[in-house]
Amino acid sequence: MQLSSLRLRRRLLPWMFALPAVATMAFGLLYPVAESFRLSFYELKLGEAVSPEAFRGLALFAEVLADSAARQSMLVTLHFAFVVVALEMVLGVGIALALEKPIRGMSAFRSIFVLPMMIAPICVGLIWRYMFDTNAGPINAWLEPFGVKPAWLADPGLAFLAICVTDIWQFTPFVFIMALAGLQGLDRSTLEAAHLDGVSGWQMIRHIKLPLIAPILAITILMRLIDALRGLEVVYAMTNGGPGLSTELFSLHIYKSAFVTQRMGHSAALSVCLLIATMVLSAALLAFANPIRRGR
Amino acid sequence: MAARNAPADLLRYAGVTLMAGLVLLPLAVMGSTSLKTQADTFGSGFSFFVSPTLDNYRTVLEGRFLGYLGNSIVVGVGSTAITLILGTMCAYALSRFRFAGRTSIAMGSLLLRTVPPAVLAVPVYFIWNGWGIGDGLGGLILVYVALNLPFTIWLLYGFIEQVPGELEEAAAVDGCGPFRLLFTIIVPLLKPGLAAAAIFTFRIAWNELVLASVLTDRTTRTMPYAIYLFITDVGVEWGKLMAAGILLALPPLIFTLVAARQIVTGLTAGAVKG
């Protein structure tokens, strides 16, 4: 009797530690995600309760695929993600290669580089909305000697450029920090051996260093892509998706279709699409960096 | 290692200084604008130094903003404390025990790590209102804790794995119970991990806008949403907006200056072996 109660306690013990967190994630994360799937089958206005009459099956998904605004916003998001992630990778990795050798005071500079990632995205959007402001903004003031005064956030092409510049400002330092961590973690003896074999300069970078930090770069790309799919606050503050739909990132489109046009089911169907995309990227991320398989 | 090469080092310094300048420039613009009068923000051309005044800060802090600042502090500190406690316990269970459900918890939380807040907004609004927590700080804290637990669990898991098991065996032999063991023997050894997890959790809870905008009302509003409403309400009063922005940015700025190393640990967690 006593033995079995002891055994029961030992079996319950891990759950006593894990349960509070698991319950919080189940109620606060998993349940809303599941609810999102459920709502995507119903045509509902914001605030309406789920009813059998509102059931539409997969019709809302068909509508998402046919909807030109949804498609436009997907294209904008893909375009945005491709442009910013490509430029951030080239810039961040390039700078990391140039600054790879440890220099005195680097830690102070590193604190500066993480600042744009730490402050609120709404704040970042606000700052850059001001930077790009046609009349009051510093960028146009600096351009004045050249006799140009672009209306940055009022022109579709320029507004898209502006949100890209902002993202590059915000996240190139992230790529830099990741690449630098990878480079400084490289095995010195491998590099030394390659050096003795006469490998140097570009050859060293192209054939030794980049292949060795490739897993970290892959993780960085995936993390940036996931962020690009999740983010909306910077654009919300800068352009609110406009002019037209030129900067309407997919997350912003979901938010607006729920709380501006107030079509919950439609927004939930869009959400399910975004969820699937982020889950695929997350699963790919796990293939590179799975904390469980890390072992002791 | 090759001998230090002075001209190359000089070039490197020039490079990092240029990069730091580009990073800091927009922040300096925000700081300088927050100290300008409305007339000066529209003066011809932009310049950094025009008769600085603290009026914008005074106006911002005299309004409802002080209450929103208080809400943000409650949400930020509350979410961080709860996330750290629950996350440590769960990471400990995953690291030290092999139990039924362990793999499901692990995989589930890893995949939920990246759920976009925009996806959560609709169902959370719906469900939380059903539970009657749709417009209070408690509901906001619940969703922030849930959102931050996956990252916290996995960051701390890595740190707990580094702690040798012999320590606990010795303590257990001395009759130390499992919970006391975790909080008195293990937790003190996790300080760097806890610091990184705390900064990243606080960052989300302090900065987040989307969920805050659907889960708060006039009295429970947090700073990011209050600032967003500022943009639309006041139109283009840049000075006040920037002063509010500086107040919002201040805590993360301070964290970054005192704990940059922990932030880098958090950023590179999972990609680089710490």
Side-chain angles (χ1 to χ4, degrees):
Chain A
M1 182 63 209
Q2 213 190 340
L3 191 71
S4 78
S5 92
L6 197 70
R7 200 177 284 161
L8 188 68
R9 265 197 61 181
R10 296 201 66 167
R11 288 183 70 176
L12 284 179
L13 189 59
W15 274 101
M16 286 163 65
F17 282 107
L19 192 63
V22 171
T24 309
M25 287 189 288
F27 283 114
L29 217 50
L30 193 59
Y31 178 41
V33 166
E35 185 70 8
S36 193
F37 275 87
R38 192 169 78 104
L39 288 174
S40 68
F41 299 122
Y42 294 88
E43 175 78 61
L44 296 170
K45 287 250 164 245
L46 190 69
E48 277 177 357
V50 170
S51 65
E53 300 85 69
F55 187 78
R56 296 287 181 277
L58 291 171
L60 290 172
F61 287 96
E63 197 196 307
V64 163
L65 294 176
D67 184 31
S68 69
R71 259 192 311 197
Q72 173 72 13
S73 145
M74 279 181 215
L75 283 178
V76 168
T77 309
L78 288 178
H79 189 189
F80 172 77
F82 178 78
V83 170
V84 299
V85 175
L87 286 173
E88 284 161 13
M89 288 307 290
V90 170
L91 284 171
V93 175
I95 298 168
L97 285 166
L99 302 175
E100 180 194 353
K101 286 225 182 76
I103 56 173
R104 211 186 298 249
M106 192 57 197
S107 63
F109 283 109
R110 243 180 9 180
S111 321
I112 293 174
F113 296 157
V114 295
L115 285 178
M117 282 173 278
M118 298 307 289
I119 63 175
I122 181 79
C123 215
V124 170
L126 183 64
I127 295 172
W128 283 92
R129 179 169 164 159
Y130 181 65
M131 295 290 287
F132 283 113
D133 191 90
T134 310
N135 296 311
I139 290 180
N140 274 1
W142 295 325
L143 287 177
E144 214 179 315
F146 304 98
V148 284
K149 194 180 176 187
W152 292 98
L153 301 178
D155 174 89
L158 292 179
F160 185 81
L161 181 70
I163 67 167
C164 290
V165 167
T166 305
D167 198 83
I168 289 167
W169 173 78
Q170 206 181 354
F171 288 110
T172 300
F174 170 70
V175 177
F176 168 73
I177 285 169
M178 295 289 278
L180 193 67
L183 286 169
Q184 294 185 339
L186 288 183
D187 181 20
R188 287 290 128 196
S189 57
T190 314
L191 300 182
E192 208 82 331
H195 188 69
L196 289 178
D197 285 342
V199 183
S200 65
W202 172 243
Q203 294 257 308
M204 182 77 130
I205 292 171
R206 168 81 181 72
H207 294 289
I208 312 281
K209 286 179 181 170
L210 287 183
L212 283 174
I213 62 165
I216 291 177
L217 298 184
I219 292 169
T220 311
I221 291 176
L222 286 167
M223 289 172 87
R224 286 299 307 123
L225 284 174
I226 293 171
D227 277 349
L229 290 181
R230 299 176 82 211
L232 68 89
E233 292 157 299
V234 173
V235 179
Y236 190 44
M238 279 179 80
T239 63
N240 198 12
L245 292 172
S246 58
T247 57
E248 180 123 321
L249 296 183
F250 202 62
S251 282
L252 182 61
H253 188 64
I254 291 177
Y255 182 82
K256 281 164 83 175
S257 64
F259 297 101
V260 181
T261 41
Q262 310 218 332
R263 294 187 55 205
M264 269 208 303
H266 180 63
S267 172
L270 294 167
S271 296
V272 169
C273 299
L274 181 64
L275 259 176
I276 292 170
T278 53
M279 291 294 143
V280 168
L281 289 171
S282 300
L285 190 58
L286 282 186
F288 283 103
N290 191 333
I292 318 178
R293 254 190 275 131
R294 188 157 55 186
R296 280 164 199 256
Chain B
M1 284 285 100
R4 287 209 164 250
N5 177 335
D9 266 5
L10 210 62
L11 262 176
R12 275 191 201 103
Y13 276 112
V16 281
T17 310
L18 176 69
M19 208 172 130
L22 285 173
V23 166
L24 288 176
L25 180 69
L27 300 176
V29 167
M30 173 165 76
S32 122
T33 308
S34 76
L35 298 172
K36 286 179 186 171
T37 62
Q38 175 73 356
D40 281 336
T41 56
F42 278 102
S44 58
F46 174 87
S47 89
F48 273 104
F49 307 103
V50 218
S51 53
T53 160
L54 285 174
D55 281 351
N56 292 321
Y57 289 92
R58 214 166 287 135
T59 322
V60 164
L61 287 174
E62 271 167 4
R64 291 173 162 276
F65 224 71
L66 211 55
Y68 303 147
L69 193 66
N71 292 339
S72 272
I73 292 171
V74 170
V75 170
V77 174
S79 308
T80 307
I82 299 171
T83 306
L84 288 191
I85 295 169
L86 302 190
T88 309
M89 285 166 56
C90 188
Y92 181 71
L94 293 175
S95 162
R96 290 299 194 257
F97 303 96
R98 298 290 174 269
F99 57 100
R102 178 180 178 272
T103 319
S104 326
I105 298 176
M107 294 315 287
S109 62
L110 282 172
L111 280 173
L112 287 175
R113 196 163 54 159
T114 53
V115 171
V119 167
L120 289 176
V122 169
V124 160
Y125 173 81
F126 210 53
I127 299 168
W128 269 224
N129 276 312
W131 289 343
I133 53 170
D135 50 14
L137 298 180
L140 202 53
I141 291 176
L142 171 61
V143 71
Y144 289 158
V145 170
L147 211 51
N148 281 298
L149 272 173
F151 173 76
T152 302
I153 290 170
W154 289 110
L155 188 71
L156 293 177
Y157 176 86
F159 279 87
I160 294 175
E161 288 281 279
Q162 312 277 321
V163 177
E166 291 83 16
L167 222 55
E168 292 146 79
E169 280 157 30
V173 169
D174 289 345
C176 185
F179 280 89
R180 205 160 63 100
L181 192 148
L182 170 61
F183 285 102
T184 58
I185 312 275
I186 313 266
V187 163
L189 298 171
L190 304 178
K191 275 183 197 147
L194 288 169
I199 290 170
F200 279 85
T201 306
F202 183 84
R203 178 182 75 144
I204 304 281
W206 181 264
N207 290 343
E208 206 278 336
L209 166 71
V210 176
L211 294 162
S213 76
V214 301
L215 290 178
T216 57
D217 62 18
R218 284 176 70 81
T219 54
T220 55
R221 207 167 278 163
T222 52
M223 292 261 286
Y225 188 49
I227 288 185
Y228 178 73
L229 292 181
F230 235 33
I231 301 180
T232 47
D233 283 358
V234 200
V236 281
E237 282 194 64
W238 286 112
K240 277 178 211 147
L241 264 174
M242 294 295 180
I246 289 275
L247 292 175
L248 180 66
L250 215 51
L253 286 178
I254 293 169
F255 281 136
T256 309
L257 294 180
V258 298
R261 210 153 56 95
Q262 279 73 29
I263 293 172
V264 173
T265 307
L267 286 177
T268 54
V272 185
K273 301 218 164 101

